[in-house]
Amino acid sequence: MISKTTLGIASLLTLFITIQNISAQQTDERIYQIIEEVSAERIESDIRTLAGFGTRNTFSDTVSETRGIGAARRWVKSEFDNISSQCDNCLDVFYQKDFVTTEDGDRVPHDAWVVNVVAIQKGSKYPNRYIIMSGDIDSRNSDGSDFEGDAPGANDNASGMAGTIEAARVLSNYDFESSIVYVGLSGEEQGLFGGQGLAQYAKDNNWEIIGVLNNDMIGNIEGVDGVIDNRSFRIFSEPVPQTETERERNMRRYYGGEVDGISRQLARYVHKTTQTYMPEMNPMMIYRLDRFGRGGHHRPFNDLGFAGIRIMEAHENYNRQHQDLRTENGIDYGDVVEGVNFDYAKKLTAVNAINMASLAWAPPAPNNVEIGGIVAPSTKLRWEKVDGDIAGYKIYWRDTTAPQWQHSRFVGDVNEFTLEGIVIDNFYFGVATVGKNGHESVVVFPSGTFR
């Protein structure tokens, strides 16, 4: 005969094991492994190689093997090819290009091909869903149209390009459900031409883009303001898509969502994942498309309605950006290798890698999320369930003035749920899909209402 005490102990043991299993599912050990595999030494080597081409101005020499944009992009492609050869040809590597002329802008000194280098790691389950990491191949000096003078561009943006190559080295050793794209974009300094070309290519080929992580300057820790910080970084994101309809704008006036567009949700995802797996880092959410009055290569994707953010250092040094190599009044100007902190570039590369892995291992986000609960004591949400074998869905909510999601509830594999006692007027809400591996999709803000 089994005593009640024995049954009680057994029940407590079962509860403890259940709690332990739930806790274990909150993180994925593979993500910590990815962080460890990112190499500062390899990033340093790649930055030095890229800076060694003298100039990578988009309109510089394309024939030389040692100087100019042509040599640089061929080297980038060869690196992607070498990585692919190490993973049983897991990367589809190719050039994507568009022709620009002097009529396309004041910064175009002569007609030329703007050539991007693309490497695609196809997903096993959702091959047409893409998460993109980009760096810029090109560089510039004080005169963006000067395609002959030296422009080593060590931080701007050999750091982002080297980080993208390193992410490919690490993540190519893993299998993912969705596709990952590693790309070197050109023509950034003359008008975001490379991003425009690839964004249009993605649209023409019906890519379903989960998000674009644009890395532009991820290696400087010494700000021109004197601040030295090797842990903080900025995440820039626009509030709502440029492609939203007049109906969507009108709905926002009554239902909210001024800071809940798809790019802002992607930024929140990166913020949350980083704080979970790299708590030593300080991700800063910047509620702005880009730096004041300036632009980056995520913007062309935003322009076509895709989610995209910019990840970059927190403290810029303008003496090392867009400057001819020189010394004036005791100040050294120019974007040289000595201004790059390789360990910091490693950290921001890891930030990208773990977020791409998390998104590529996650199931698709729910479609057509709707919300109800007007003049009611509870909030109701419903959505279209995604195809595939998933764990279920998680509802998120937060105060209307809170920058991050504060509360969440896993509700199982259902397509509708009521949050009893949660008044719709006081919070913003969203829904994410949860995979059986614990990885979640980006949160989806409601796009419709019901009673």
Side-chain angles (χ1 to χ4, degrees):
M1 181 176 178
I2 300 175
S3 69
K4 292 182 179 180
T5 301
T6 303
L7 284 172
I9 293 173
S11 298
L12 286 173
L13 181 60
T14 300
L15 177 61
F16 176 75
I17 292 173
T18 300
I19 292 173
Q20 288 291 96
N21 287 338
I22 292 173
S23 297
Q25 293 172 2
Q26 300 304 306
T27 58
D28 186 338
E29 285 300 316
R30 295 174 298 179
I31 299 295
Y32 293 110
Q33 182 176 320
I34 288 169
I35 295 170
E36 291 297 320
E37 290 172 352
V38 176
S39 167
E41 290 74 23
R42 289 195 297 259
I43 291 172
E44 176 181 356
S45 176
D46 290 349
I47 290 175
R48 290 186 180 278
T49 297
L50 286 163
F53 288 112
T55 178
R56 302 187 308 279
N57 186 292
T58 298
F59 300 92
S60 60
D61 195 317
T62 60
V63 178
S64 171
E65 291 299 320
T66 59
R67 183 178 178 86
I69 188 68
R73 67 193 181 213
R74 286 191 293 274
W75 177 82
V76 171
K77 184 176 184 299
S78 71
E79 289 301 300
F80 284 143
D81 285 334
N82 290 337
I83 294 168
S84 185
S85 69
Q86 299 297 315
C87 62
D88 195 24
N89 296 318
C90 71
L91 301 181
D92 179 17
V93 184
F94 60 93
Y95 292 122
Q96 183 274 318
K97 61 183 181 179
D98 292 277
F99 196 69
V100 298
T101 72
T102 54
E103 296 181 357
D104 289 315
D106 295 337
R107 296 184 183 180
V108 181
H110 61 78
D111 299 356
W113 286 99
V114 174
V115 182
N116 300 321
V117 185
V118 185
I120 301 178
Q121 183 177 350
K122 279 290 186 178
S124 60
K125 192 172 183 179
Y126 309 105
N128 198 48
R129 299 180 69 242
Y130 299 88
I131 178 70
I132 301 173
M133 178 180 180
S134 70
D136 300 322
I137 302 175
D138 62 310
S139 67
R140 60 163 289 184
N141 52 30
S142 298
D143 180 359
S145 299
D146 175 9
F147 54 86
E148 294 182 342
D150 286 343
N155 188 48
D156 184 14
N157 186 26
S159 63
M161 187 68 255
T164 302
I165 295 170
E166 178 64 8
R169 289 195 188 101
V170 173
L171 296 184
S172 61
N173 295 312
Y174 298 83
D175 295 320
F176 298 99
E177 294 186 353
S178 295
S179 299
I180 298 178
V181 181
Y182 317 94
V183 59
L185 298 172
S186 298
E188 192 266 349
E189 300 290 4
Q190 284 76 28
L192 310 179
F193 292 122
Q196 290 173 10
L198 186 63
Q200 189 62 52
Y201 177 91
K203 184 176 181 179
D204 292 344
N205 286 274
N206 299 311
W207 285 11
E208 182 185 345
I209 295 181
I210 305 169
V212 177
L213 309 182
N214 170 37
N215 286 257
D216 196 344
M217 293 185 288
I218 61 171
N220 180 70
I221 66 170
E222 299 179 13
V224 73
D225 55 2
V227 175
I228 298 177
D229 184 350
N230 67 352
R231 294 182 183 270
S232 300
F233 69 95
R234 294 177 288 180
I235 309 170
F236 287 91
S237 61
E238 68 177 1
V240 294
Q242 284 290 98
T243 55
E244 70 174 358
T245 64
E246 187 65 30
R247 174 182 174 275
E248 289 169 332
R249 281 191 289 273
N250 289 333
M251 285 184 62
R252 253 204 343 269
R253 185 178 186 188
Y254 297 98
Y255 305 130
E258 294 85 355
V259 294
D260 280 279
I262 54 177
S263 294
R264 187 60 50 79
Q265 303 300 353
L266 177 63
R268 289 192 177 105
Y269 189 101
V270 172
H271 187 282
K272 176 187 175 183
T273 304
T274 303
Q275 289 201 322
T276 299
Y277 289 100
M278 299 178 68
E280 72 278 12
M281 298 302 289
N282 175 33
M284 301 164 56
M285 290 274 288
I286 307 296
Y287 278 23
R288 182 177 283 143
L289 170 66
D290 209 312
R291 298 154 302 159
F292 196 86
R294 304 172 74 181
H297 253 148
H298 57 299
R299 194 184 78 193
F301 291 90
N302 292 162
D303 290 344
L304 294 185
F306 297 123
I309 61 177
R310 178 180 185 139
I311 295 174
M312 71 173 300
E313 61 208 27
H315 303 282
E316 297 179 66
N317 193 323
Y318 308 121
N319 297 337
R320 299 172 183 169
Q321 293 178 19
H322 303 174
Q323 297 285 349
D324 289 339
L325 300 176
R326 68 193 192 280
T327 300
E328 290 182 1
N329 300 320
I331 299 175
D332 293 328
Y333 292 88
D335 191 356
V336 295
V337 172
E338 288 73 19
V340 179
N341 185 288
F342 307 112
D343 288 327
Y344 180 68
K346 169 188 173 178
K347 293 174 184 177
L348 295 199
T349 298
V351 166
N352 282 267
I354 65 174
N355 277 281
M356 287 192 294
S358 296
L359 286 166
W361 273 323
N367 291 317
N368 297 323
V369 176
E370 296 180 327
I371 190 168
I374 298 174
V375 295
S378 302
T379 300
K380 300 178 289 185
L381 290 126
R382 69 185 184 191
W383 54 89
E384 289 183 11
K385 298 175 69 173
V386 303
D387 294 331
D389 191 18
I390 64 170
Y393 299 88
K394 183 182 286 188
I395 295 176
Y396 283 88
W397 67 100
R398 70 180 199 274
D399 295 339
T400 59
T401 56
Q404 309 295 341
W405 296 109
Q406 298 168 300
H407 317 286
S408 65
R409 179 172 177 178
F410 179 73
V411 298
D413 191 6
V414 298
N415 69 338
E416 186 171 345
F417 194 83
T418 299
L419 292 170
E420 299 289 350
I422 306 297
V423 178
I424 193 173
D425 297 327
N426 299 338
F427 304 94
Y428 284 145
F429 301 84
V431 182
T433 312
V434 183
K436 289 188 174 180
N437 57 9
H439 290 287
E440 300 179 19
S441 73
V442 174
V443 176
V444 177
F445 193 78
S447 59
T449 63
F450 68 99
R451 289 188 177 273

